[in-house]
Amino acid sequence: GLKKWVEVGNSGVFRPELLLPMGLPENVSVIAWGLSLERPTMIKYGIKNIRELMGHRVNLQMVYDSPLCRLDV
């Protein structure tokens, strides 16, 4: 429905400076992966900045007023 390729599964390695405040030793590597459903949602609803979709800048009225995201419409 988006007429373009969109990455929906991603992965990566945490940077060491992000792990130190959690008390992990410097020689520890941490990987993460997951579904990136925010990317197709941003494209579908024309959201340019992810902070408008997630985090403290979310417009809650948009959440209340919007139907479920359906990519087949």
Side-chain angles (χ1 to χ4, degrees):
L2 297 174
K3 308 275 192 275
K4 61 170 83 176
W5 286 95
V6 178
E7 177 186 8
V8 293
N10 60 1
S11 63
V13 178
F14 280 85
R15 296 189 339 230
E17 64 268 23
L18 298 175
L19 300 174
L20 290 175
M22 295 182 215
L24 296 169
E26 289 185 38
N27 63 343
V28 170
S29 294
V30 176
I31 62 170
W33 62 90
L35 292 177
S36 298
L37 298 179
E38 66 275 3
R39 289 181 180 155
T41 302
M42 289 173 66
I43 293 168
K44 175 72 175 174
Y45 291 104
I47 298 170
K48 301 293 181 197
N49 189 327
I50 194 168
R51 290 175 286 195
E52 295 174 15
L53 183 64
M54 307 171 108
H56 70 281
R57 291 177 53 186
V58 171
N59 175 358
L60 291 178
Q61 194 60 48
M62 179 197 72
V63 175
Y64 296 133
D65 295 341
S66 297
L68 290 173
C69 176
R70 294 191 52 187
L71 299 178
D72 61 337
V73 178

